[in-house]
Amino acid sequence: MNFFSGVHCSKCNLAYPGNKPINLCKCGAPLLAQYDLETARNLDKHKIRTMYRSIWDLAPLLPVQDKENMLNLGEGNTPLLIAENLGDLLGLDYLYIKDEALNPTGSFKARGICLAVSKANELGIKDVCIPTAGNAGGALAAYAALAGMTAHVVMPEDTPQPFIDECKLFGADVILIDGVISDCSAYLTTVKEQKGWFDISTLKEPYRLEGKKTMGYELAFQFDWELPDVIIYPLGGGTGLIGMWKAFNEMETMGWIGWERPRMVAVQPEGCAPIVRAFHAGEIIASQWENPSTIALGLRVPQAIGDFLILKIIYESRGAAIAVSDMEIKESLPLLASKEGVLACPEGAATVAAVKKLKQQDLIRAKEKIVLFNTGSIYKYLDLI
Ligand SMILES: *Cc1c(COP(=O)(O)O)cnc(C)c1O
């Protein structure tokens, strides 16, 4: 049983079939997967929650048809930790951490890449490529290895060595570029067609988002179908935020949850905060950030192709976008570690810095349920440890 019915454009709504490789819409905007959610109302949400072990237990609501193509390294089903000690310190009674560091290859990138590579595999693709700040490359290399595909990973040359070496261990073709992720992306644009490589960039194919949306389903499972009040998310390209929002809407359409939504808060580093700048100016798209610089490499994304989707969700949810400095990130890291036993990546630590600021600014209240996302492991950031 599978309810996937194709993809449609997030901007102009044009529909495409889901049985051929596809990247962006003709109009240049990201494509979103669609499901026959009216029929999916027959799914038993309690049974799915009880049986849930990995993202593939949501297979009826994912775009891969054949079980044989569902690559599995144990992705998803990450713990929701209660951060009581940190909460006491900050005056927050219900503070939680969704710890995505426990995913294969140590980051939540595994969720999205697992889906994208599984679907690419189903469609007969042999060569996949990606521009990455590090974690997406590692995940792509691992899932491509499992599928017997070749991964071409393009990274900034200043990426810490463990991110590069893990890709090589998985057998990937690694290309280093003098620049940031957008320069890696520009390089791929010049070579991918001639080489016949399929592009797995954030939101440039529709299915990574489907992997990330499983975080939204897991929150509903873990919070007993009552979503938290606030979600604090370290934002780069924004797939996690957009994906969770999609999951909430799907669940409401299927009658799994009500109309209430968390306030969605995007956190970016002061050295690369295009969405925060656009939010404060009340804009509906974000202009490119010049000279991006931060220790939180996964957030060094100067321009997001899904900017209009991200901003729409932040406004619609009455959320916020907030910037934190690298210094605040560095201070939050040992704070979280010593209070909660969680050694977060700098991107995850940024949410700790953000929650402090939000409390000081009275944008969150003591009795609200607040979830911080630790999106990855620190263990590839050896210098930072
Ligand atoms: C990629 C990444 C992010 C940003 O995720 P987006 O989906 O691009 O917003 C955050 N944290 C870590 C550890 C990452 O690898």
Side-chain angles (χ1 to χ4, degrees):
M1 205 174 31
N2 184 285
F3 300 98
F4 177 59
S5 61
V7 299
H8 76 285
C9 179
S10 58
K11 201 170 250 169
C12 74
N13 233 25
L14 191 61
Y16 299 83
N19 57 2
K20 281 194 220 91
I22 196 157
N23 289 108
L24 294 170
C25 178
K26 275 182 217 156
C27 80
L31 294 169
L32 306 174
Q34 263 184 317
Y35 301 84
D36 177 5
L37 294 174
E38 283 308 318
T39 316
R41 290 179 78 97
N42 297 328
L43 287 171
D44 181 345
K45 69 172 188 177
H46 300 291
K47 193 168 161 204
I48 291 180
R49 181 172 75 165
T50 309
M51 304 289 283
Y52 192 78
R53 295 290 176 277
S54 91
I55 65 174
W56 291 115
D57 292 315
L58 281 166
L61 300 167
L62 295 173
V64 181
Q65 316 277 352
D66 189 344
K67 220 177 158 98
E68 264 183 32
N69 295 317
M70 298 177 187
L71 302 168
N72 192 332
L73 292 171
E75 48 288 326
N77 200 15
T78 55
L80 181 74
L81 309 172
I82 302 173
E84 210 176 315
N85 300 330
L86 184 63
D88 283 350
L89 188 81
L90 301 178
L92 296 169
D93 293 349
Y94 304 100
L95 185 63
Y96 300 84
I97 301 165
K98 180 78 169 149
D99 196 359
E100 291 291 307
L102 280 84
N103 275 298
T105 68
S107 89
F108 76 153
K109 290 295 192 302
R111 293 181 188 260
I113 299 291
C114 170
L115 248 293
V117 177
S118 295
K119 185 67 182 181
N121 193 30
E122 185 156 276
L123 299 176
I125 290 165
K126 292 286 169 224
D127 283 80
V128 284
C129 65
I130 203 163
T132 174
N135 278 323
L140 184 67
Y143 286 96
L146 182 59
M149 295 158 76
T150 305
H152 305 274
V153 175
V154 188
M155 286 178 171
E157 64 186 6
D158 63 356
T159 306
Q161 201 62 35
F163 289 96
I164 299 169
D165 289 342
E166 75 169 344
C167 292
K168 291 185 176 165
L169 285 168
F170 288 127
D173 164 33
V174 179
I175 301 155
L176 299 176
I177 296 279
D178 175 14
V180 300
I181 192 166
S182 42
D183 303 298
C184 298
S185 187
Y187 166 79
L188 273 178
T189 305
T190 65
V191 302
K192 67 184 181 193
E193 249 151 73
Q194 158 211 349
K195 303 234 188 214
W197 297 348
F198 184 71
D199 192 347
I200 307 274
S201 301
T202 295
L203 291 172
K204 286 192 185 167
E205 64 78 54
Y207 305 119
R208 275 176 72 178
L209 191 70
E210 295 305 293
K212 287 276 184 79
K213 89 178 176 189
T214 58
M215 297 190 298
Y217 280 91
E218 287 180 21
L219 286 180
F221 298 162
Q222 290 171 320
F223 279 103
D224 222 1
W225 312 110
E226 297 233 345
L227 298 177
D229 298 295
V230 182
I231 291 177
I232 305 185
Y233 176 81
L235 186 125
T239 42
L241 186 114
I242 301 167
M244 282 190 274
W245 197 254
K246 186 170 188 283
F248 300 154
N249 290 336
E250 289 177 359
M251 283 190 282
E252 186 185 357
T253 306
M254 292 186 294
W256 291 17
I257 61 168
W259 57 269
E260 300 91 345
R261 293 290 182 275
R263 306 203 295 285
M264 305 298 278
V265 178
V267 184
Q268 295 197 302
E270 284 177 359
C272 183
I275 297 295
V276 178
R277 183 171 65 188
F279 172 75
H280 287 299
E283 308 273 6
I284 55 170
I285 57 166
S287 53
Q288 178 160 338
W289 191 273
E290 301 300 329
N291 305 315
S293 156
T294 173
I295 57 165
L297 298 175
L299 309 183
R300 196 168 59 165
V301 181
Q303 185 145 46
I305 186 171
D307 58 350
F308 64 104
L309 297 169
I310 296 164
L311 286 160
K312 191 162 166 258
I313 291 165
I314 294 173
Y315 294 131
E316 224 176 278
S317 75
R318 299 169 195 277
I322 181 167
V324 297
S325 69
D326 277 7
M327 186 53 78
E328 289 168 316
I329 293 174
K330 279 188 184 162
E331 287 166 1
S332 298
L333 237 153
L335 176 69
L336 180 64
S338 61
K339 288 286 167 199
E340 296 297 340
V342 173
L343 207 44
C345 59
E347 296 88 347
T351 67
V352 176
V355 79
K356 262 202 234 170
K357 282 192 163 171
L358 291 167
K359 182 69 174 42
Q360 282 159 7
Q361 296 171 13
D362 256 345
L363 290 169
I364 50 177
R365 283 175 290 278
K367 299 284 174 210
E368 289 187 311
K369 288 189 178 138
I370 298 163
V371 180
L372 309 180
F373 267 83
N374 177 34
T375 42
S377 159
I378 197 178
Y379 293 112
K380 292 181 231 176
Y381 283 100
L382 292 181
D383 290 358
L384 213 52
I385 298 185

